[in-house]
């Protein structure tokens, strides 16, 4: 079998791996995500392979860096099946529609700019109609620990990756050859979804390495840090901005804020969830209770565990603009998580230059994103074409990450009884991968870091 990576190879986003057998009988893809790092965005327009020849796309989970190029794949002739779990399908639909809109808005903006400057017209990656077309190809039949037969003798089996609702890692087998793709592995301390399961033997394991170089603070410490950042800001009549994707992280954050509220720890304030998607996502959560940690199920059965009196859900852009009239003591949760686009950018424009405000990052910020620049203490940043001074307080709470840390990544891979012939590192910054590589080598693993498009045979 031969595997080539066309994304998340020596970078974090754009996950996309293609497996073919020696006879070229079946072409199986794992994930087809959007590149979100600024330096890699051009790669979104080149797939690197013929989409018409792909028979199956196995989708590990609904994050855009794993599913965000599916409409582009379909637009370019993909006719195969997209295999995933039911929640992955439900969440992908919501997230892709949103992404389709953002891509189209950005395109219109760039087009106007190019016309004004008499420059080359930008290319539209895809729009809402391409997103709608792509839904016809989804086949959400995969269930954890149940083998599923593909053509030409391939068998796949997924297990819970413990990362977001419905997330999985997958083993692909044919005869006595096998490979595992980790997808994104979860942080075991996360409050709602179950923990990851462990892999069994395979010839080759592809593993994500997002946090391969470090360990998270404990969840409890992170909760305390989070509460302190909020209380300090509200005390000074500032606003708190929390960049977050609409799914999962936003729910985790609301879950915590509700908990703080019930414990009497949250000062009086207005919490805005500025996301039209949030309601549909909560519905999807409630329809999939079997994916949650046992002790959390009763809470969902009792009602909406994300709701509390300070919470306002913002649906349309008009309402979103009005948040800016609230002077102080507001907590605003909006996407996108890495400040790659979305409504959060408008809130940043209004808040980032005032020192009483705070931006609290609760998720990974990939290299080359605006989020990363701010986290790395850049003093001046460009937001929607305008330059702003960063005067607001910047906090990073890494214990809320939905990714496994170094110890957890190690725990997952060392659970295999017989070592694979090779471990391939993907979905990470290259310098992070190097740190994790030497950790694995200390344990006797043979490790390789594939390049974009490099052939890995076994
Ligand atoms: Zn993910
Ligand atoms: Zn990812």
């Amino acid at each position: 079998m031969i595997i080539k990576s066309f994304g998340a190879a020596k970078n974090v986003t754009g996950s996309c791996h293609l497996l073919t057998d020696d006879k070229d009988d079946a072409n199986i893809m794992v994930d087809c995500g959007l590149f979100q790092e600024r330096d890699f965005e051009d790669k979104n327009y080149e797939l690197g392979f013929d989409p018409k020849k792909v028979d199956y796309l196995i989708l590990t989970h609904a994050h855009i860096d794993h599913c965000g190029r599916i409409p582009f794949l379909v637009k370019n002739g993909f006719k195969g099946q997209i295999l995933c779990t039911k929640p992955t399908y439900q969440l992908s639909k919501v997230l892709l529609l949103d992404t389709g809109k953002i891509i189209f808005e950005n395109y219109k903006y760039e087009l106007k700019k190019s016309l004004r400057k008499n420059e080359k017209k930008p290319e539209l990656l895809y729009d809402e109609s391409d997103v709608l077309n792509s839904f016809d190809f989804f086949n959400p039949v995969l269930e954890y620990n149940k083998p599923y037969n593909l053509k030409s003798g391939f068998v796949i089996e997924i297990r819970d990756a413990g990362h977001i609702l419905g997330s999985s890692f997958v083993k692909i087998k044919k005869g006595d050859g096998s490979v595992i793709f980790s997808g994104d592995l979860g942080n075991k301390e996360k409050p709602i979804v179950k923990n990851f399961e462990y892999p069994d033997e395979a010839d080759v394991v592809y593993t994500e390495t997002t946090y391969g170089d470090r360990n998270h603070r404990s969840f409890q410490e992170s909760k305390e840090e989070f509460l302190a950042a909020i209380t300090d800001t509200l005390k000074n009549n500032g606003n708190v901005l929390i960049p977050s994707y609409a799914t999962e992280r936003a729910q985790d954050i609301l879950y915590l804020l509700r908990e703080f509220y019930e414990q009497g720890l949250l000062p009086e304030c207005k919490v805005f969830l500025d996301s039209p998607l949030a309601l549909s996502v909560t519905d999807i959560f409630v329809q999939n209770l079997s994916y949650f940690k046992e002790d959390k199920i009763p809470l969902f059965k009792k009602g909406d565990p994300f709701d509390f009196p300070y919470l306002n859900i913002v649906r349309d852009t008009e309402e979103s603009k009005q948040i800016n009239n609230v002077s102080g003591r507001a907590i605003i949760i909006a996407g996108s998580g890495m400040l790659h686009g979305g409504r959060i950018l408008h809130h940043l424009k209004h808040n980032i230059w005032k020192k009483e405000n705070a931006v609290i990052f609760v998720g990974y910020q990939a290299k080359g994103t605006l989020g990363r620049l701010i986290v790395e203490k850049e003093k001046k940043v460009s937001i929607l074409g305008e330059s702003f001074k960063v005067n607001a307080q910047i906090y990073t709470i890494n214990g809320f990450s939905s990714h496994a840390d170094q110890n957890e990544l190690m725990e997952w891979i060392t659970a295999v009884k017989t070592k694979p012939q090779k471990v391939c590192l993907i979905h990470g910054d290259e310098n992070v991968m190097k740190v994790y590589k030497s950790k694995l080598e200390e344990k006797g693993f043979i490790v390789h870091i594939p390049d974009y498009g490099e052939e890995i045979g076994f």
Side-chain angles (χ1 to χ4, degrees):
M1 284 186 253
I2 292 164
I3 300 166
K4 287 184 189 175
S5 294
F6 295 102
K10 296 190 175 170
N11 75 305
V12 179
T13 62
S15 274
C16 182
H17 313 281
L18 184 67
L19 178 148
T20 44
D21 63 359
D22 305 333
K23 298 189 209 91
D24 207 14
D25 281 340
N27 293 303
I28 304 168
M29 235 169 102
V30 179
D31 293 336
C32 191
L34 198 72
F35 286 94
Q36 292 167 310
E37 292 117 307
R38 279 181 181 171
D39 295 352
F40 288 85
E41 274 176 349
D42 286 349
K43 282 216 162 19
N44 282 323
Y45 298 86
E46 47 170 286
L47 284 167
F49 54 88
D50 183 357
K52 295 185 200 82
K53 287 191 178 161
V54 178
D55 302 287
Y56 303 96
L57 163 59
I58 303 165
L59 180 57
T60 61
H61 66 289
H63 275 154
I64 287 301
D65 64 312
H66 294 257
C67 73
R69 263 191 298 166
I70 289 177
F72 185 67
L73 187 79
V74 170
K75 185 179 166 183
N76 283 282
F78 172 82
K79 291 271 182 285
Q81 289 181 50
I82 303 169
L83 300 167
C84 60
T85 61
K86 184 179 129 219
T88 296
Y89 170 53
Q90 293 173 308
L91 291 173
S92 301
K93 274 168 79 171
V94 174
L95 293 183
L96 283 172
L97 276 172
D98 186 54
T99 306
K101 276 184 208 143
I102 295 176
I103 287 179
F104 189 61
E105 286 307 314
N106 286 347
Y107 166 76
K108 280 198 304 197
Y109 176 79
E110 293 296 329
L111 183 66
K112 232 195 246 165
K113 218 166 72 180
S114 70
L115 290 174
R116 222 169 30 222
K117 292 186 178 165
N118 212 4
E119 282 173 352
K120 197 174 147 249
K121 276 191 199 165
E123 191 186 331
L124 174 63
L125 191 66
Y126 58 81
D127 60 17
E128 232 179 310
S129 68
D130 300 309
V131 173
L132 291 170
N133 288 340
S134 72
F135 295 161
D136 293 345
F137 297 88
F138 277 83
N139 187 8
V141 285
L142 299 186
E143 286 176 49
Y144 297 143
N145 301 300
K146 279 198 187 151
Y148 187 83
N149 293 319
L150 309 184
K151 71 174 201 179
S152 310
F154 278 97
V155 183
I156 57 170
E157 193 179 318
I158 61 160
R159 291 186 184 175
D160 197 337
H163 172 58
I164 62 164
L165 183 65
S167 66
S168 60
F169 65 90
V170 59
K171 180 171 181 174
I172 307 174
K173 271 192 299 191
K174 183 176 178 173
D176 46 14
S178 59
V179 55
I180 290 176
F181 289 90
S182 74
D184 286 358
L185 296 168
N187 172 354
K188 287 166 77 180
E189 294 197 70
K190 270 168 60 69
I192 305 170
V193 294
K194 283 183 188 162
N195 293 344
F196 57 69
E197 295 182 281
Y198 296 99
D200 57 12
E201 284 70 38
D203 298 315
V204 178
V205 176
Y206 275 68
T207 176
E208 69 122 321
T209 52
T210 320
Y211 285 101
D213 64 340
R214 72 198 108 147
N215 287 312
H216 300 320
R217 282 240 173 115
S218 78
F219 197 76
Q220 189 49 40
E221 277 175 295
S222 300
K223 249 163 85 168
E224 286 159 18
E225 243 181 296
F226 183 52
L227 181 62
I230 291 175
T231 333
D232 285 352
T233 314
L234 296 180
K235 206 167 60 198
N236 295 326
N237 287 322
N239 293 326
V240 176
L241 303 192
I242 307 175
S244 165
Y245 291 101
T247 51
E248 202 76 18
R249 196 73 45 80
Q251 277 72 25
D252 285 349
I253 295 301
L254 288 182
Y255 183 88
L256 291 174
L257 291 175
R258 182 198 52 92
E259 214 175 60
F260 294 154
Y261 169 80
E262 280 178 2
Q263 293 162 351
L265 299 170
L266 185 66
E268 204 182 328
C269 62
K270 282 197 153 135
V271 177
F272 295 96
L273 178 60
D274 188 7
S275 164
L277 310 179
L279 288 175
S280 5
V281 171
T282 304
D283 280 350
I284 297 172
F285 269 67
V286 176
Q287 289 165 31
N288 292 287
L289 295 185
S290 61
Y291 288 82
F292 299 160
K293 288 186 168 133
E294 289 291 323
D295 61 321
K296 296 297 161 16
I297 297 176
L299 255 177
F300 279 85
K301 286 194 171 151
K302 233 169 46 191
D304 183 351
F306 307 122
D307 197 17
F308 56 103
Y310 297 167
L311 179 65
N312 303 275
I313 294 182
V314 181
R315 274 157 250 213
D316 57 43
T317 358
E318 229 10 79
E319 279 179 298
S320 172
K321 281 183 191 152
Q322 277 167 21
I323 301 179
N324 299 315
N325 300 334
V326 178
S327 54
R329 300 183 70 81
I331 300 178
I332 305 165
I333 309 165
S336 77
M338 295 194 267
L339 309 182
H340 176 253
R343 290 184 182 176
I344 190 74
L345 295 181
H346 296 278
H347 301 305
L348 272 181
K349 273 175 70 168
H350 282 91
N351 289 283
I352 199 158
W353 48 277
K354 290 187 196 150
K355 67 171 188 333
E356 65 270 28
N357 297 330
V359 185
I360 307 183
F361 288 94
V362 291
Y364 186 77
Q365 303 302 312
K367 217 157 97 183
T369 58
L370 175 59
R372 178 71 163 254
L373 288 179
I374 297 177
V375 164
E376 286 182 343
K377 308 254 180 304
E378 198 75 39
K379 283 281 151 235
K380 236 185 192 173
V381 290
S382 153
I383 304 166
L384 297 168
E386 269 180 73
S387 168
F388 289 87
K389 265 195 170 167
V390 182
N391 290 332
Q393 311 304 308
I394 308 298
Y395 299 90
T396 309
I397 315 278
N398 66 26
F400 292 165
S401 167
S402 47
H403 282 275
D405 63 9
Q406 189 187 59
N407 284 342
E408 288 169 329
L409 287 172
M410 270 299 203
E411 181 191 322
W412 183 80
I413 202 155
T414 50
V416 195
K417 281 183 218 96
T418 320
K419 283 196 175 65
Q421 294 161 19
K422 197 187 283 173
V423 176
C424 289
L425 306 187
I426 47 168
H427 199 292
D429 281 340
E430 199 181 348
N431 49 350
V432 172
M433 288 178 174
K434 284 181 186 155
V435 176
Y436 190 53
K437 182 172 186 267
S438 49
K439 276 268 163 193
L440 285 173
E441 283 168 346
E442 277 168 29
K443 297 264 176 203
F445 286 94
I446 296 171
V447 188
H448 181 67
I449 302 178
D451 264 319
Y452 181 94
E454 183 188 338
E455 255 183 40
I456 307 292
F458 65 97

